[in-house]
């Protein structure tokens, strides 16, 4: 059992990070917040550096390290920043850095969904509530922090528990060829191939048919299968195989300068180019007597990210999608019911003071 | 890196076909990179949730935990070329939106009751 990353390095980096996060916790009257943040940054940097060295030539792109450093630093500021508005803004920074990592993972649709929904909608709601639920500044207390924001509760225990969790998770995953990963690349490749479900393949056949008709094949072809190996090959049959054979023969004759049968429309050169090069190799006769042709598909015909997510969402999880809609409706109704509930302000029912001219 | 990706793609093409482009396959150590960052974001969210006393920041920390979970889901979905992980992140986003709407309505209600956002002001609710 080999480790991906040296466990000693992992534990040292996590310990440094734990000390840094503990020191960075807000304490009344400042405290060593900046020093703590620097130590935590050193721990995080050591961890990322160790990962990069352990990966060797196999490391992800440099942008990953930039985005992850920003994401973790901003997360640290979310939990240590005493002022809630700034914490929310740092959370937006975390989201932007995470969506950068989503782009590196080729999840383009979710990148934009994350920026629009999280940074654009949810965080704005948070900012609204922060501003609604903040005491109006008074003459003598214009900028001071509220005591429950300026102190943290049980910082030692929280940091210890959090980093214990982090250490357990990262050590569990720090095993190459363990239960979580495939034993070798060939096994993983087999599993990856098995992961391509029938809806995705149906979509690919549909796109292959469109692409073949675009290059000049007759419209009555039907694509039987598409090979999953690049370059993609389409296997298709046609209603009138004799006519297609004649057109292919005419196209080949035109290319070689041989005499062409009059009255036979030759196949477009682009379509001919997609067929397998050998004379006999482009088709075979199926057991039921029909001819099955084989053509090379153009590059980039595979499903795009949005198509793949759409197929996954609508073909494989339609019920969950409906339930998500119901959940959102319930949340909306309950939020309205909660918010319009009349509440007597304060414990003694005293009226809230009107916001006076604070400036 | 390119040489390794090339040998990987050759391996994939020989052993098992794949819809996805083999050249940008995520290696196991690459997956581990993303998982470490995801776990760290989750742990920071836990620490914040346990140690902060402001109700709104406590909810922000739950969103941070959701972010870590989403990142792990996307990384695994990339590793296995299985888009179900991405579909799940859409549901995570839905749940996060529903949670934000309800939780913030509750926060406003609690604030109007006690005139403070301090979680300790509600410590009488311990069961």
């Amino acid at each position: 059992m080999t480790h991906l990353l040296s466990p000693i390095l992992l534990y040292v980096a996590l310990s440094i990070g734990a000390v840094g996060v503990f020191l960075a916790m807000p304490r009344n009257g400042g405290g060593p917040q900046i020093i703590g943040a620097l130590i935590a940054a050193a721990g995080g940097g050591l961890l990322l550096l160790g990962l990069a060295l352990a990966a060797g030539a196999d490391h992800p792109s440099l942008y990953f390290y930039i985005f992850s450093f920003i994401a973790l630093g901003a997360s640290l500021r979310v939990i240590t920043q005493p002022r809630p508005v700034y914490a929310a803004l740092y959370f937006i920074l975390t989201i932007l850095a995470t969506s950068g990592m989503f782009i590196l993972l080729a999840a383009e649709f979710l990148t934009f969904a994350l920026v629009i929904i999280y940074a654009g909608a949810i965080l704005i709601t948070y900012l609204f509530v922060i501003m609604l639920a903040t005491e109006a500044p008074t003459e003598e207390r214009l900028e001071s922090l509220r005591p429950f924001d300026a102190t943290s509760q049980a910082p030692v225990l929280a940091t210890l528990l959090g980093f214990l969790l982090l250490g357990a998770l990262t050590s569990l995953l720090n095993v190459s060829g363990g239960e979580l990963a495939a034993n070798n690349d060939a096994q993983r490749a087999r599993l990856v191939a098995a992961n391509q479900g029938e809806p995705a393949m149906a979509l690919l056949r549909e796109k292959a048919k469109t692409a073949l008709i675009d290059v000049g094949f007759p419209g009555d072809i039907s694509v039987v299968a598409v090979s999953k190996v690049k370059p993609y090959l389409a296997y298709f049959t046609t209603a009138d195989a004799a006519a297609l054979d004649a057109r292919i023969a005419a196209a080949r004759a035109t290319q070689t300068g041989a005499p062409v049968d009059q009255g036979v429309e030759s196949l477009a050169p682009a379509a001919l180019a997609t067929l397998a090069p050998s004379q006999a190799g482009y088709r075979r006769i199926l057991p039921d007597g029909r001819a099955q042709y084989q053509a090379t598909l153009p590059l980039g015909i595979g499903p795009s990210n949005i198509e793949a997510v759409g197929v996954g969402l609508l073909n494989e999880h339609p019920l969950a999608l409906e339930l998500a809609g119901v959940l959102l409706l319930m949340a909306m109704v309950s939020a309205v019911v909660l918010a319009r509930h009349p509440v007597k302000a304060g414990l003694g029912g005293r009226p809230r003071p009107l916001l006076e001219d604070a400036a | 890196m390119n040489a390794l990706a090339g040998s990987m793609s050759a391996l994939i093409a020989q052993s098992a076909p794949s819809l996805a482009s083999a050249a940008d396959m995520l290696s196991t150590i690459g997956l581990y990179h993303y998982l470490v960052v995801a776990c760290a974001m989750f742990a920071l969210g836990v620490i914040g949730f346990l140690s902060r006393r402001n109700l709104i920041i406590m909810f922000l920390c739950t969103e941070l935990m959701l972010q870590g979970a989403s990142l792990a889901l996307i990384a695994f979905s990339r590793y296995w070329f299985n888009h179900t992980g991405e579909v799940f992140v859409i549901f995570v986003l839905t749940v996060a939106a529903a949670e934000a709407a309800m939780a913030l309505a509750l926060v406003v209600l609690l604030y109007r009751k006690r005139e403070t956002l301090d979680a300790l002001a509600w410590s009488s609710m311990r069961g």
Side-chain angles (χ1 to χ4, degrees):
Chain A
M1 188 183 283
T2 51
H3 294 285
L4 294 167
L5 175 68
S6 148
I8 306 286
L9 180 69
L10 180 66
Y11 298 140
V12 168
L14 290 186
S15 311
I16 294 175
V19 171
V21 169
F22 170 69
L23 290 178
M25 291 278 179
R27 282 175 189 76
N28 243 338
Q33 273 205 300
I34 296 174
I35 299 169
L38 286 178
I39 294 175
L46 184 64
L47 188 59
L48 289 177
L49 192 69
L51 278 171
L53 291 179
D58 216 5
H59 65 83
S61 88
L62 176 66
Y63 294 106
F64 166 79
Y65 297 98
I66 298 173
F67 286 139
S68 57
F69 199 77
I70 295 175
L72 292 182
S75 308
L76 181 69
R77 277 317 269 159
V78 172
I79 67 168
T80 57
Q81 170 62 248
R83 292 168 206 277
V85 177
Y86 286 91
L89 292 178
Y90 275 114
F91 188 64
I92 293 182
L93 186 59
T94 309
I95 286 169
L96 294 180
T98 316
S99 49
M101 281 190 262
F102 282 11
I103 285 197
L104 295 180
L105 290 168
E108 295 93 4
F109 173 71
L110 281 168
T111 304
F112 292 105
L114 197 73
V115 171
I116 293 169
I117 297 176
Y118 249 111
I122 297 182
L123 258 293
I124 298 303
T125 321
Y126 270 91
L127 285 177
F128 262 120
V129 172
I130 290 171
M131 290 172 184
L132 274 178
T134 307
E135 291 120 52
T138 52
E139 281 289 335
E140 61 269 23
R141 269 185 4 117
L142 196 64
E143 268 295 335
S144 69
L145 290 168
R146 288 165 294 179
F148 60 88
D149 272 338
T151 57
S152 44
Q153 188 185 11
V156 182
L157 192 63
T159 315
L160 212 62
L161 279 178
F163 273 85
L164 208 59
L165 177 71
L166 179 57
L169 283 173
T170 45
S171 328
L172 174 72
L173 297 165
N174 188 12
V175 179
S176 65
E179 289 88 352
L180 290 163
N183 282 334
N184 55 48
D185 289 330
Q187 185 200 5
R188 177 166 152 227
R190 247 194 333 275
L191 287 166
V192 165
N195 274 336
Q196 313 298 337
E198 176 50 30
M201 289 313 292
L203 183 74
L204 192 56
R205 284 199 296 272
E206 198 75 16
K207 289 176 81 169
K209 182 178 178 183
T210 314
L212 289 179
I213 291 173
D214 276 351
V215 294
F217 281 102
D220 61 352
I221 60 169
S222 67
V223 176
V224 182
V226 176
S227 84
K228 292 176 177 179
V229 187
K230 279 193 169 179
Y232 294 125
L233 293 174
Y235 301 96
F236 63 92
T237 59
T238 173
D240 192 356
L244 185 58
D245 281 342
R247 290 181 63 182
I248 292 169
R252 284 194 193 280
T254 315
Q255 270 188 349
T256 53
V260 184
D261 275 349
Q262 291 305 312
V264 177
E265 182 198 358
S266 67
L267 198 64
L272 187 65
T274 65
L275 290 170
S278 78
Q279 184 74 30
Y282 64 85
R283 70 169 198 153
R284 66 193 187 92
I285 305 298
L286 295 176
D288 61 0
R290 287 181 304 149
Q292 179 179 283
Y293 298 83
Q294 172 189 329
T296 314
L297 291 173
L299 289 175
I301 197 162
S304 69
N305 177 251
I306 292 182
E307 278 172 339
V309 171
V311 166
L313 196 59
L314 295 169
N315 278 39
E316 293 166 22
H317 306 280
L319 178 66
L321 184 66
E322 296 295 328
L323 287 180
V326 173
L327 180 74
L328 281 177
L329 182 69
M330 282 165 57
M332 190 184 79
V333 170
S334 59
V336 169
V337 169
L338 280 175
R340 67 187 290 275
H341 188 66
V343 176
K344 286 202 188 88
L347 278 174
R350 65 192 157 84
R352 292 202 50 192
L354 288 170
L355 181 63
E356 280 154 14
D357 189 15
Chain B
M1 184 172 178
N2 280 337
L4 212 126
S7 65
M8 187 88 154
S9 68
L11 185 89
I12 303 296
Q14 284 160 16
S15 57
S18 153
L19 256 188
S21 139
D24 43 28
M25 210 152 167
L26 193 63
S27 62
T28 307
I29 182 93
L31 171 73
Y32 187 60
H33 277 69
Y34 286 98
L35 291 182
V36 165
V37 174
C39 293
M41 280 173 73
F42 188 89
L44 284 174
V46 170
I47 294 171
F49 190 80
L50 291 177
S51 69
R52 297 305 299 264
R53 287 169 56 190
N54 189 321
L55 285 173
I56 293 176
I57 294 189
M58 284 168 78
F59 279 118
L60 267 185
C61 290
T62 62
E63 305 280 343
L64 205 56
M65 288 190 256
L66 286 178
Q67 279 294 303
S70 304
L71 184 59
L73 275 172
I74 300 260
F76 271 121
S77 126
R78 184 71 186 151
Y79 185 70
W80 293 109
F81 282 110
N82 187 337
H83 290 282
T84 310
E86 294 183 30
V87 172
F88 262 73
V89 174
I90 294 180
F91 295 132
V92 169
L93 279 182
T94 313
V95 170
E99 181 223 305
M102 285 195 56
L104 292 177
L106 271 174
V107 165
V108 170
L109 198 71
L110 296 178
Y111 176 74
R112 286 198 290 189
K113 284 251 190 203
R114 294 270 161 103
E115 297 264 317
T116 177
L117 286 173
D118 190 355
L120 291 187
W122 296 91
S123 54
S124 61
M125 286 210 307
R126 67 166 67 104

